[in-house]
Amino acid sequence: MNFDQLCDYEIENELQFVEIEHGFTYIEINNAAAHATISTYSGQVLSYRPKSQKDDLLFVSDKAYYEDGKAIKGGIPVCWPWFGADPDDLGRPAHGFVRNRQWGVTGSESLADGSTKVVLGLVDSDETRKIWPHPFKLSIEITVGDSLKLALVTHNTGDEGVTVSQALHTYFYVGDISKVQVLGLEGTQYLDKVDGFVQKSESGPVTIAGEVDRIYTGITGALVIDDASLGRRIRITSRGCSTAVVWNPWIELAASMGDLDDGDYRKMLCVETANAGPETVEIAAGSDYRLEAEYSIES
Ligand code: TA6
């Protein structure tokens, strides 16, 4: 879609399209409740700040790459149709191929409660079928209001079932990682990637004092990121999944990443809404699957 076509979805004084110097197009949403920025490249929310808050919900690295074919480090990248390493070991990129691709816009709406909804979409092409040989229509519905709501909808437009894993790989901004707790995972099991994917039990709130990379399974309730340093709690509710991933690279891994500053590990925490690890999703021919997350800030 070219810029003029995108602008058909503008909503006066509420939703605008902006061309950014590195060549990408951003959707800027500004309504009575909140401000948000969404990149049409990657279908990725980069910023969400309710007007009652001084800090953004999301972390985006100052060293993020804004280049065709690369992932933007931060915000809410979409991992699809696989989460993590290539499940078939064919050398394809980690976390699938839609976070490195230009999406289109298929709808925008000013809702009765004052929030603003925009829908971005991606369909299969000759290029995507070389990477993943299935027809699909993928959309992400983003609703910006007192909370931020996302629904990642996979439409299987083919005539065979497909299996996917996926995640909303959300990078939350935190004041100081050493003062953060993740609540709601107590009593669950996780696969510990830092320890060879050994299965372990979570006994209490999750705190971060080293590299953490865990796939929690059997999640049924809301999760809360309690951030004592910023004096806020982020509530994460989800539907269509029972997996949560918690990731912080800590000092050495962060220093080895070209798109993170050395100290960034202190300011970010990924808590991801996912179908991942043992939880994959089968989508029958002609049917849809919705993975939903809602984020709200309590202070
Ligand atoms: O979701 C956790 C994880 O899979 C980690 O294992 C780590 O590889 C990270 O994601 C990488 O995320 P990035 O956004 O750098 O691709």
mmCIF file with all atom_site columns, all heavy atoms in Angstrom, residues 65-81:
data_model
loop_
_atom_site.group_PDB
_atom_site.id
_atom_site.type_symbol
_atom_site.label_atom_id
_atom_site.label_alt_id
_atom_site.label_comp_id
_atom_site.label_asym_id
_atom_site.label_entity_id
_atom_site.label_seq_id
_atom_site.pdbx_PDB_ins_code
_atom_site.Cartn_x
_atom_site.Cartn_y
_atom_site.Cartn_z
_atom_site.occupancy
_atom_site.B_iso_or_equiv
_atom_site.pdbx_formal_charge
_atom_site.auth_seq_id
_atom_site.auth_comp_id
_atom_site.auth_asym_id
_atom_site.auth_atom_id
_atom_site.pdbx_PDB_model_num
ATOM 1   N N   . TYR A 1 65 ? 17.209 -1.331  15.020 1.00 0.00 ? 65 TYR A N   1
ATOM 2   C CA  . TYR A 1 65 ? 17.402 -1.232  13.565 1.00 0.00 ? 65 TYR A CA  1
ATOM 3   C C   . TYR A 1 65 ? 16.075 -0.851  12.931 1.00 0.00 ? 65 TYR A C   1
ATOM 4   O O   . TYR A 1 65 ? 15.033 -1.440  13.265 1.00 0.00 ? 65 TYR A O   1
ATOM 5   C CB  . TYR A 1 65 ? 17.851 -2.578  12.984 1.00 0.00 ? 65 TYR A CB  1
ATOM 6   C CG  . TYR A 1 65 ? 19.122 -3.123  13.592 1.00 0.00 ? 65 TYR A CG  1
ATOM 7   C CD1 . TYR A 1 65 ? 19.146 -4.392  14.163 1.00 0.00 ? 65 TYR A CD1 1
ATOM 8   C CD2 . TYR A 1 65 ? 20.294 -2.376  13.586 1.00 0.00 ? 65 TYR A CD2 1
ATOM 9   C CE1 . TYR A 1 65 ? 20.316 -4.901  14.719 1.00 0.00 ? 65 TYR A CE1 1
ATOM 10  C CE2 . TYR A 1 65 ? 21.468 -2.876  14.144 1.00 0.00 ? 65 TYR A CE2 1
ATOM 11  C CZ  . TYR A 1 65 ? 21.464 -4.139  14.711 1.00 0.00 ? 65 TYR A CZ  1
ATOM 12  O OH  . TYR A 1 65 ? 22.609 -4.635  15.264 1.00 0.00 ? 65 TYR A OH  1
ATOM 13  N N   . TYR A 1 66 ? 16.124 0.089   12.017 1.00 0.00 ? 66 TYR A N   1
ATOM 14  C CA  . TYR A 1 66 ? 14.947 0.414   11.215 1.00 0.00 ? 66 TYR A CA  1
ATOM 15  C C   . TYR A 1 66 ? 15.335 0.141   9.766  1.00 0.00 ? 66 TYR A C   1
ATOM 16  O O   . TYR A 1 66 ? 15.603 1.040   8.992  1.00 0.00 ? 66 TYR A O   1
ATOM 17  C CB  . TYR A 1 66 ? 14.524 1.876   11.433 1.00 0.00 ? 66 TYR A CB  1
ATOM 18  C CG  . TYR A 1 66 ? 14.091 2.129   12.863 1.00 0.00 ? 66 TYR A CG  1
ATOM 19  C CD1 . TYR A 1 66 ? 15.008 2.586   13.806 1.00 0.00 ? 66 TYR A CD1 1
ATOM 20  C CD2 . TYR A 1 66 ? 12.775 1.892   13.277 1.00 0.00 ? 66 TYR A CD2 1
ATOM 21  C CE1 . TYR A 1 66 ? 14.624 2.794   15.127 1.00 0.00 ? 66 TYR A CE1 1
ATOM 22  C CE2 . TYR A 1 66 ? 12.390 2.097   14.595 1.00 0.00 ? 66 TYR A CE2 1
ATOM 23  C CZ  . TYR A 1 66 ? 13.322 2.548   15.511 1.00 0.00 ? 66 TYR A CZ  1
ATOM 24  O OH  . TYR A 1 66 ? 12.949 2.747   16.819 1.00 0.00 ? 66 TYR A OH  1
ATOM 25  N N   . GLU A 1 67 ? 15.435 -1.155  9.464  1.00 0.00 ? 67 GLU A N   1
ATOM 26  C CA  . GLU A 1 67 ? 15.904 -1.558  8.132  1.00 0.00 ? 67 GLU A CA  1
ATOM 27  C C   . GLU A 1 67 ? 15.035 -2.687  7.631  1.00 0.00 ? 67 GLU A C   1
ATOM 28  O O   . GLU A 1 67 ? 14.692 -3.601  8.394  1.00 0.00 ? 67 GLU A O   1
ATOM 29  C CB  . GLU A 1 67 ? 17.340 -2.101  8.234  1.00 0.00 ? 67 GLU A CB  1
ATOM 30  C CG  . GLU A 1 67 ? 18.394 -1.043  8.390  1.00 0.00 ? 67 GLU A CG  1
ATOM 31  C CD  . GLU A 1 67 ? 19.759 -1.686  8.682  1.00 0.00 ? 67 GLU A CD  1
ATOM 32  O OE1 . GLU A 1 67 ? 20.108 -2.706  8.050  1.00 0.00 ? 67 GLU A OE1 1
ATOM 33  O OE2 . GLU A 1 67 ? 20.446 -1.177  9.579  1.00 0.00 ? 67 GLU A OE2 1
ATOM 34  N N   . ASP A 1 68 ? 14.734 -2.617  6.340  1.00 0.00 ? 68 ASP A N   1
ATOM 35  C CA  . ASP A 1 68 ? 13.946 -3.673  5.727  1.00 0.00 ? 68 ASP A CA  1
ATOM 36  C C   . ASP A 1 68 ? 14.604 -5.034  5.984  1.00 0.00 ? 68 ASP A C   1
ATOM 37  O O   . ASP A 1 68 ? 15.820 -5.177  5.818  1.00 0.00 ? 68 ASP A O   1
ATOM 38  C CB  . ASP A 1 68 ? 13.901 -3.392  4.212  1.00 0.00 ? 68 ASP A CB  1
ATOM 39  C CG  . ASP A 1 68 ? 12.604 -3.887  3.618  1.00 0.00 ? 68 ASP A CG  1
ATOM 40  O OD1 . ASP A 1 68 ? 11.691 -4.231  4.388  1.00 0.00 ? 68 ASP A OD1 1
ATOM 41  O OD2 . ASP A 1 68 ? 12.529 -3.932  2.387  1.00 0.00 ? 68 ASP A OD2 1
ATOM 42  N N   . GLY A 1 69 ? 13.828 -5.993  6.449  1.00 0.00 ? 69 GLY A N   1
ATOM 43  C CA  . GLY A 1 69 ? 14.364 -7.334  6.683  1.00 0.00 ? 69 GLY A CA  1
ATOM 44  C C   . GLY A 1 69 ? 14.858 -7.556  8.108  1.00 0.00 ? 69 GLY A C   1
ATOM 45  O O   . GLY A 1 69 ? 15.166 -8.676  8.498  1.00 0.00 ? 69 GLY A O   1
ATOM 46  N N   . LYS A 1 70 ? 14.929 -6.471  8.904  1.00 0.00 ? 70 LYS A N   1
ATOM 47  C CA  . LYS A 1 70 ? 15.372 -6.639  10.300 1.00 0.00 ? 70 LYS A CA  1
ATOM 48  C C   . LYS A 1 70 ? 14.233 -6.349  11.258 1.00 0.00 ? 70 LYS A C   1
ATOM 49  O O   . LYS A 1 70 ? 13.324 -5.575  10.935 1.00 0.00 ? 70 LYS A O   1
ATOM 50  C CB  . LYS A 1 70 ? 16.529 -5.691  10.601 1.00 0.00 ? 70 LYS A CB  1
ATOM 51  C CG  . LYS A 1 70 ? 17.781 -6.064  9.845  1.00 0.00 ? 70 LYS A CG  1
ATOM 52  C CD  . LYS A 1 70 ? 18.993 -5.366  10.405 1.00 0.00 ? 70 LYS A CD  1
ATOM 53  C CE  . LYS A 1 70 ? 20.239 -5.936  9.732  1.00 0.00 ? 70 LYS A CE  1
ATOM 54  N NZ  . LYS A 1 70 ? 21.434 -5.176  10.047 1.00 0.00 ? 70 LYS A NZ  1
ATOM 55  N N   . ALA A 1 71 ? 14.307 -6.939  12.444 1.00 0.00 ? 71 ALA A N   1
ATOM 56  C CA  . ALA A 1 71 ? 13.267 -6.699  13.447 1.00 0.00 ? 71 ALA A CA  1
ATOM 57  C C   . ALA A 1 71 ? 13.590 -5.428  14.214 1.00 0.00 ? 71 ALA A C   1
ATOM 58  O O   . ALA A 1 71 ? 14.765 -5.116  14.454 1.00 0.00 ? 71 ALA A O   1
ATOM 59  C CB  . ALA A 1 71 ? 13.214 -7.890  14.408 1.00 0.00 ? 71 ALA A CB  1
ATOM 60  N N   . ILE A 1 72 ? 12.554 -4.699  14.595 1.00 0.00 ? 72 ILE A N   1
ATOM 61  C CA  . ILE A 1 72 ? 12.731 -3.505  15.435 1.00 0.00 ? 72 ILE A CA  1
ATOM 62  C C   . ILE A 1 72 ? 12.759 -3.962  16.893 1.00 0.00 ? 72 ILE A C   1
ATOM 63  O O   . ILE A 1 72 ? 11.816 -4.619  17.359 1.00 0.00 ? 72 ILE A O   1
ATOM 64  C CB  . ILE A 1 72 ? 11.561 -2.509  15.238 1.00 0.00 ? 72 ILE A CB  1
ATOM 65  C CG1 . ILE A 1 72 ? 11.432 -2.089  13.768 1.00 0.00 ? 72 ILE A CG1 1
ATOM 66  C CG2 . ILE A 1 72 ? 11.745 -1.290  16.134 1.00 0.00 ? 72 ILE A CG2 1
ATOM 67  C CD1 . ILE A 1 72 ? 10.175 -1.254  13.474 1.00 0.00 ? 72 ILE A CD1 1
ATOM 68  N N   . LYS A 1 73 ? 13.822 -3.627  17.595 1.00 0.00 ? 73 LYS A N   1
ATOM 69  C CA  . LYS A 1 73 ? 13.989 -4.098  18.982 1.00 0.00 ? 73 LYS A CA  1
ATOM 70  C C   . LYS A 1 73 ? 13.150 -3.248  19.940 1.00 0.00 ? 73 LYS A C   1
ATOM 71  O O   . LYS A 1 73 ? 13.511 -2.116  20.281 1.00 0.00 ? 73 LYS A O   1
ATOM 72  C CB  . LYS A 1 73 ? 15.467 -4.017  19.351 1.00 0.00 ? 73 LYS A CB  1
ATOM 73  C CG  . LYS A 1 73 ? 15.815 -4.515  20.732 1.00 0.00 ? 73 LYS A CG  1
ATOM 74  C CD  . LYS A 1 73 ? 15.723 -6.015  20.864 1.00 0.00 ? 73 LYS A CD  1
ATOM 75  C CE  . LYS A 1 73 ? 17.052 -6.708  20.957 1.00 0.00 ? 73 LYS A CE  1
ATOM 76  N NZ  . LYS A 1 73 ? 17.217 -7.807  20.052 1.00 0.00 ? 73 LYS A NZ  1
ATOM 77  N N   . GLY A 1 74 ? 12.031 -3.812  20.347 1.00 0.00 ? 74 GLY A N   1
ATOM 78  C CA  . GLY A 1 74 ? 11.199 -3.133  21.337 1.00 0.00 ? 74 GLY A CA  1
ATOM 79  C C   . GLY A 1 74 ? 9.741  -3.086  20.915 1.00 0.00 ? 74 GLY A C   1
ATOM 80  O O   . GLY A 1 74 ? 9.356  -3.640  19.876 1.00 0.00 ? 74 GLY A O   1
ATOM 81  N N   . GLY A 1 75 ? 8.920  -2.445  21.752 1.00 0.00 ? 75 GLY A N   1
ATOM 82  C CA  . GLY A 1 75 ? 7.495  -2.398  21.450 1.00 0.00 ? 75 GLY A CA  1
ATOM 83  C C   . GLY A 1 75 ? 6.874  -3.791  21.517 1.00 0.00 ? 75 GLY A C   1
ATOM 84  O O   . GLY A 1 75 ? 7.221  -4.596  22.400 1.00 0.00 ? 75 GLY A O   1
ATOM 85  N N   . ILE A 1 76 ? 5.980  -4.064  20.570 1.00 0.00 ? 76 ILE A N   1
ATOM 86  C CA  . ILE A 1 76 ? 5.310  -5.378  20.580 1.00 0.00 ? 76 ILE A CA  1
ATOM 87  C C   . ILE A 1 76 ? 5.527  -6.079  19.233 1.00 0.00 ? 76 ILE A C   1
ATOM 88  O O   . ILE A 1 76 ? 4.672  -6.037  18.336 1.00 0.00 ? 76 ILE A O   1
ATOM 89  C CB  . ILE A 1 76 ? 3.800  -5.237  20.882 1.00 0.00 ? 76 ILE A CB  1
ATOM 90  C CG1 . ILE A 1 76 ? 3.582  -4.335  22.111 1.00 0.00 ? 76 ILE A CG1 1
ATOM 91  C CG2 . ILE A 1 76 ? 3.177  -6.617  21.086 1.00 0.00 ? 76 ILE A CG2 1
ATOM 92  C CD1 . ILE A 1 76 ? 2.122  -4.198  22.544 1.00 0.00 ? 76 ILE A CD1 1
ATOM 93  N N   . PRO A 1 77 ? 6.679  -6.729  19.060 1.00 0.00 ? 77 PRO A N   1
ATOM 94  C CA  . PRO A 1 77 ? 6.894  -7.504  17.836 1.00 0.00 ? 77 PRO A CA  1
ATOM 95  C C   . PRO A 1 77 ? 5.934  -8.694  17.776 1.00 0.00 ? 77 PRO A C   1
ATOM 96  O O   . PRO A 1 77 ? 5.556  -9.257  18.817 1.00 0.00 ? 77 PRO A O   1
ATOM 97  C CB  . PRO A 1 77 ? 8.334  -8.005  17.973 1.00 0.00 ? 77 PRO A CB  1
ATOM 98  C CG  . PRO A 1 77 ? 8.961  -7.161  19.041 1.00 0.00 ? 77 PRO A CG  1
ATOM 99  C CD  . PRO A 1 77 ? 7.838  -6.766  19.959 1.00 0.00 ? 77 PRO A CD  1
ATOM 100 N N   . VAL A 1 78 ? 5.564  -9.060  16.568 1.00 0.00 ? 78 VAL A N   1
ATOM 101 C CA  . VAL A 1 78 ? 4.676  -10.212 16.368 1.00 0.00 ? 78 VAL A CA  1
ATOM 102 C C   . VAL A 1 78 ? 5.525  -11.399 15.912 1.00 0.00 ? 78 VAL A C   1
ATOM 103 O O   . VAL A 1 78 ? 6.175  -11.334 14.864 1.00 0.00 ? 78 VAL A O   1
ATOM 104 C CB  . VAL A 1 78 ? 3.609  -9.893  15.286 1.00 0.00 ? 78 VAL A CB  1
ATOM 105 C CG1 . VAL A 1 78 ? 2.735  -11.121 15.025 1.00 0.00 ? 78 VAL A CG1 1
ATOM 106 C CG2 . VAL A 1 78 ? 2.753  -8.697  15.709 1.00 0.00 ? 78 VAL A CG2 1
ATOM 107 N N   . CYS A 1 79 ? 5.522  -12.453 16.706 1.00 0.00 ? 79 CYS A N   1
ATOM 108 C CA  . CYS A 1 79 ? 6.238  -13.679 16.333 1.00 0.00 ? 79 CYS A CA  1
ATOM 109 C C   . CYS A 1 79 ? 5.205  -14.626 15.727 1.00 0.00 ? 79 CYS A C   1
ATOM 110 O O   . CYS A 1 79 ? 4.259  -15.021 16.423 1.00 0.00 ? 79 CYS A O   1
ATOM 111 C CB  . CYS A 1 79 ? 6.866  -14.341 17.553 1.00 0.00 ? 79 CYS A CB  1
ATOM 112 S SG  . CYS A 1 79 ? 7.963  -13.251 18.478 1.00 0.00 ? 79 CYS A SG  1
ATOM 113 N N   . TRP A 1 80 ? 5.400  -15.017 14.483 1.00 0.00 ? 80 TRP A N   1
ATOM 114 C CA  . TRP A 1 80 ? 4.391  -15.828 13.777 1.00 0.00 ? 80 TRP A CA  1
ATOM 115 C C   . TRP A 1 80 ? 4.990  -16.310 12.475 1.00 0.00 ? 80 TRP A C   1
ATOM 116 O O   . TRP A 1 80 ? 5.664  -15.515 11.839 1.00 0.00 ? 80 TRP A O   1
ATOM 117 C CB  . TRP A 1 80 ? 3.154  -14.960 13.483 1.00 0.00 ? 80 TRP A CB  1
ATOM 118 C CG  . TRP A 1 80 ? 1.975  -15.694 12.923 1.00 0.00 ? 80 TRP A CG  1
ATOM 119 C CD1 . TRP A 1 80 ? 0.897  -16.181 13.619 1.00 0.00 ? 80 TRP A CD1 1
ATOM 120 C CD2 . TRP A 1 80 ? 1.734  -16.008 11.544 1.00 0.00 ? 80 TRP A CD2 1
ATOM 121 N NE1 . TRP A 1 80 ? 0.011  -16.781 12.757 1.00 0.00 ? 80 TRP A NE1 1
ATOM 122 C CE2 . TRP A 1 80 ? 0.510  -16.691 11.477 1.00 0.00 ? 80 TRP A CE2 1
ATOM 123 C CE3 . TRP A 1 80 ? 2.432  -15.795 10.351 1.00 0.00 ? 80 TRP A CE3 1
ATOM 124 C CZ2 . TRP A 1 80 ? -0.035 -17.166 10.278 1.00 0.00 ? 80 TRP A CZ2 1
ATOM 125 C CZ3 . TRP A 1 80 ? 1.916  -16.262 9.155  1.00 0.00 ? 80 TRP A CZ3 1
ATOM 126 C CH2 . TRP A 1 80 ? 0.688  -16.934 9.129  1.00 0.00 ? 80 TRP A CH2 1
ATOM 127 N N   . PRO A 1 81 ? 4.747  -17.478 11.971 1.00 0.00 ? 81 PRO A N   1
ATOM 128 C CA  . PRO A 1 81 ? 3.916  -18.566 12.490 1.00 0.00 ? 81 PRO A CA  1
ATOM 129 C C   . PRO A 1 81 ? 4.701  -19.541 13.355 1.00 0.00 ? 81 PRO A C   1
ATOM 130 O O   . PRO A 1 81 ? 4.248  -20.656 13.559 1.00 0.00 ? 81 PRO A O   1
ATOM 131 C CB  . PRO A 1 81 ? 3.428  -19.245 11.201 1.00 0.00 ? 81 PRO A CB  1
ATOM 132 C CG  . PRO A 1 81 ? 4.583  -19.060 10.247 1.00 0.00 ? 81 PRO A CG  1
ATOM 133 C CD  . PRO A 1 81 ? 5.236  -17.763 10.621 1.00 0.00 ? 81 PRO A CD  1
#
